[in-house]
């Protein structure tokens, strides 16, 4: 059973930084897609950044380009996805979700610089940025 466990959320002032982590387990794929999404109060969930694990292609929302970096670390038998968030703004506030998918269509979407559809989701971690 696929499990995604996020951590690293918290409260920070505008201009500060946070690093989110997502530990993935329950699968043995070596090529797959993972992403970070967020949902602000009263708004729809939106893609923040996505990454082709094993291939390297990535996609970022325009609102976070140059400020956020998605990366992964598969050493020590743990699959961990990170989101380094710098120069945070109050509009970055929301619940951040980790997502994964193992379909080739998801990888194809990343190669085409589009956010794929994801079928596996974590529970989310709250990020609050104050002005």
């Amino acid at each position: 059973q696929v499990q995604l466990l996020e951590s690293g959320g918290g409260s920070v002032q505008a201009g500060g930084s946070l690093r989110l982590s997502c530990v993935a387990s329950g699968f043995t794929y070596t090529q797959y897609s993972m992403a970070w999404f967020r949902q602000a109060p009263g708004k729809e969930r939106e893609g923040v950044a996505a990454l082709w694990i094993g291939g390297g292609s990535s996609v970022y929302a325009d609102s976070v380009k140059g400020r956020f970096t998605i990366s992964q670390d598969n050493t020590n038998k743990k699959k961990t996805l990170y989101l380094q968030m710098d120069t945070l703004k109050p509009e970055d506030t929301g619940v951040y979700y980790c997502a994964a998918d193992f379909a080739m269509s998801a990888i194809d979407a990343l190669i085409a610089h589009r956010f794929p559809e994801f079928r596996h989701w974590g529970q989310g971690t709250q990020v609050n940025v104050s002005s």
Side-chain angles (χ1 to χ4, degrees):
Q1 181 179 358
V2 177
Q3 290 190 324
L4 303 173
L5 183 61
E6 304 99 332
S7 62
S11 297
V12 65
Q13 288 191 322
S17 297
L18 283 174
R19 188 174 81 157
L20 305 183
S21 300
C22 172
V23 177
S25 62
F27 60 93
T28 58
Y29 294 95
T30 57
Q31 301 250 353
Y32 50 97
S33 304
M34 291 193 74
W36 290 97
F37 283 72
R38 68 186 178 190
Q39 188 167 21
K43 294 189 176 181
E44 292 188 356
R45 188 165 56 190
E46 63 173 351
V48 175
L51 180 65
W52 171 14
I53 308 298
S57 293
S58 60
V59 176
Y60 290 90
D62 288 342
S63 59
V64 306
K65 283 180 182 176
R67 300 189 298 120
F68 290 12
T69 304
I70 189 170
S71 64
Q72 57 94 18
D73 182 359
N74 286 356
T75 59
N76 298 321
K77 299 183 180 180
K78 292 180 73 173
K79 306 177 184 70
T80 306
L81 184 75
Y82 298 103
L83 184 68
Q84 178 66 40
M85 305 187 293
D86 298 319
T87 321
L88 282 159
K89 303 176 181 180
E91 51 264 44
D92 294 318
T93 293
V95 178
Y96 282 69
Y97 297 92
C98 176
D101 200 90
F102 309 104
M104 278 305 302
S105 58
I107 291 175
D108 290 341
L110 280 171
I111 292 172
H113 300 289
R114 291 183 287 107
F115 274 94
E117 295 291 324
F118 288 90
R119 283 171 282 190
H120 303 279
W121 295 87
Q123 293 299 307
T125 185
Q126 179 71 45
V127 171
N128 295 311
V129 184
S130 59
S131 57

